[in-house]
């Protein structure tokens, strides 16, 4: 089987599985928990962390902040706690962004590994799930729309970069990424935001989707670069092999889980303003 066909079939299976669970909130929550555990396995291998604590912490956080609010519809005492979690998560992400622009290695192979697994990966999946509960009702369009924007951005960043890219975006971390590719992905993501607004019922305005496309494109690209730096430190090309032709599952989620807290923050602002 050719690499292109393998990559195509693997991608179709992933997209189909994701799309089918969007029709049932229980299936959705369970699937993303499984995705989170797989990504945690891949990430812990990258940072050489052999411990059960990251999985226990992720399970507790996912159950309390994700499942309890999402499925049980209970927000008692959790609204404030979720806001605190969001502030800590974004703060840790800003530190990761700072390390991205430093020539030094990201300080993972030390005591900070537990902070990263908790407030980079575990929190990312918590807020990714909570995006689907914007307005206190299960709204799969928000999740699907966010993923579509990620896919459009990644696809056109690759195509534009491959055909027109000249200026390197971050050569020390990802030599293949170009400024032209980044701008191409951003441009087509903003175009896609119009069609998501036009052909879905998400209760968001076009302006909302346009801002989301910019958030996802910019923050998602940074998340991709951060994972690339971590893989470079670990001396590996992919985070895993679970998706033939694509690498690991974390390679597919690196953009969306990094952008998720910012997406959730924006949706909270929209909800508060409206």
């Amino acid at each position: 089987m050719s690499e292109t066909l393998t990559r195509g079939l693997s991608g179709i299976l992933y997209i189909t599985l994701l799309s089918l669970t969007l029709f049932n909130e229980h299936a959705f929550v369970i699937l993303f928990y499984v995705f989170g555990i797989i990504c945690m396995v891949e990430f812990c291998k990258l940072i050489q962390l052999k411990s059960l604590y990251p999985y226990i912490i992720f399970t507790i956080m996912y159950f309390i902040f994700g499942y309890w609010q999402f499925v049980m519809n209970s927000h008692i005492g959790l609204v404030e706690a979720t806001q605190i979690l969001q502030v800590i998560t974004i703060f840790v992400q800003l530190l990761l962004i700072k390390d991205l622009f430093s020539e030094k290695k990201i300080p993972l192979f030390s005591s900070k590994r537990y902070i990263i697994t908790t407030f980079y990966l575990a929190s990312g999946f918590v807020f990714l799930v909570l995006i689907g509960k914007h307005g206190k009702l299960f709204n799969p369009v928000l999740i699907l729309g966010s993923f579509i924007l990620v896919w459009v951005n990644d696809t056109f960043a690759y195509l534009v970069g491959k055909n027109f890219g000249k200026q390197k975006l971050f050569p020390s971390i990802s030599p293949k990424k170009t400024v032209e590719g980044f701008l191409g992905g951003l441009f087509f993501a903003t175009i896609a935001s119009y069609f998501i607004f036009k052909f879905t019922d998400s209760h968001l305005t076009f302006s909302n989707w346009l801002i989301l496309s910019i958030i996802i494109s910019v923050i998602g690209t940074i998340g991709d670069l951060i994972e690339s730096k971590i893989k470079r430190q670990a001396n590996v090309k992919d985070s895993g092999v679970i998706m033939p032709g694509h690498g690991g599952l974390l390679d597919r989620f690196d953009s969306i889980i990094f952008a998720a807290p910012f997406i959730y923050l924006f949706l909270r602002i929209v909800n508060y303003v409206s």
Side-chain angles (χ1 to χ4, degrees):
M1 188 180 295
S2 69
E3 183 179 349
T4 303
L5 181 58
T6 302
R7 183 181 176 87
L9 291 175
S10 179
I12 290 172
L13 178 62
Y14 163 66
I15 293 172
T16 302
L17 186 62
L18 178 64
S19 301
L20 288 175
T21 59
L22 294 178
F23 294 98
N24 183 279
E25 59 184 272
H26 293 86
F28 167 73
V29 170
I30 292 171
L31 178 68
F32 274 76
Y33 174 73
V34 174
F35 281 167
I37 290 293
I38 294 172
C39 287
M40 186 68 76
V41 170
E42 294 177 350
F43 188 69
C44 285
K45 184 179 289 187
L46 288 178
I47 63 174
Q48 301 175 6
L49 180 58
K50 297 179 181 179
S51 172
L52 290 177
Y53 288 116
Y55 306 98
I56 295 172
I57 293 171
F58 171 64
T59 300
I60 293 173
M61 286 178 60
Y62 194 86
F63 179 79
I64 294 176
F65 291 100
Y67 177 82
W68 199 254
Q69 291 187 84
F70 198 98
V71 178
M72 303 302 290
N73 244 338
S74 177
H75 300 273
I76 300 176
L78 289 179
V79 175
E80 293 80 6
T82 304
Q83 292 175 0
I84 293 172
L85 177 64
Q86 187 174 40
V87 170
I88 297 174
T89 299
I90 292 178
F91 178 74
V92 170
Q93 288 184 318
L94 292 176
L95 292 179
L96 283 172
I97 294 173
K98 178 188 72 69
D99 290 331
L100 183 65
F101 289 91
S102 169
E103 292 183 2
K104 298 178 181 179
K105 292 183 177 181
I106 295 178
L108 295 174
F109 304 98
S110 62
S111 59
K112 294 183 179 180
R113 291 180 297 181
Y114 291 102
I115 295 176
I116 303 300
T117 54
T118 301
F119 298 108
Y120 162 65
L121 195 58
S123 288
F125 271 94
V126 166
F127 287 111
L128 182 56
V129 167
L130 289 179
I131 289 170
K133 205 68 172 183
H134 173 64
K136 298 183 180 181
L137 294 174
F138 181 42
N139 193 341
V141 172
L142 292 176
I143 291 292
L144 184 59
S146 297
F147 271 96
I148 289 174
L149 290 174
V150 169
W151 295 332
V152 169
N153 178 73
D154 289 351
T155 300
F156 283 96
Y158 170 76
L159 292 175
V160 174
K162 183 179 180 181
N163 292 285
F164 306 102
K166 292 182 180 179
Q167 186 175 349
K168 301 298 183 181
L169 181 65
F170 233 115
S172 62
I173 296 176
S174 187
K176 293 183 179 180
K177 282 186 170 56
T178 63
V179 173
E180 292 83 359
F182 166 71
L183 294 175
L186 174 61
F187 174 76
F188 282 100
T190 59
I191 297 298
S193 68
Y194 170 76
F195 291 98
I196 295 172
F197 161 72
K198 194 72 175 177
F199 297 105
T200 62
D201 183 19
S202 63
H203 306 296
L204 294 181
T205 65
F206 170 59
S207 296
N208 295 154
W209 276 112
L210 183 63
I211 294 173
L212 278 177
S213 70
I214 296 171
I215 291 173
I216 289 172
S217 181
V218 175
I219 304 297
T221 299
I222 294 174
D224 191 354
L225 288 169
I226 287 172
E227 199 228 356
S228 294
K229 185 166 185 175
I230 294 170
K231 288 189 294 184
R232 186 168 287 271
Q233 284 184 214
N235 263 335
V236 297
K237 180 183 177 183
D238 300 315
S239 65
V241 295
I242 195 171
M243 292 185 67
H246 292 269
L249 195 62
L250 184 58
D251 294 325
R252 304 276 64 81
F253 273 85
D254 55 0
S255 297
I256 191 70
I257 62 171
F258 199 79
F262 295 92
I263 298 171
Y264 183 71
L265 175 61
F266 175 70
L267 291 176
R268 279 188 56 224
I269 293 172
V270 169
N271 197 43
Y272 178 78
V273 172
S274 60

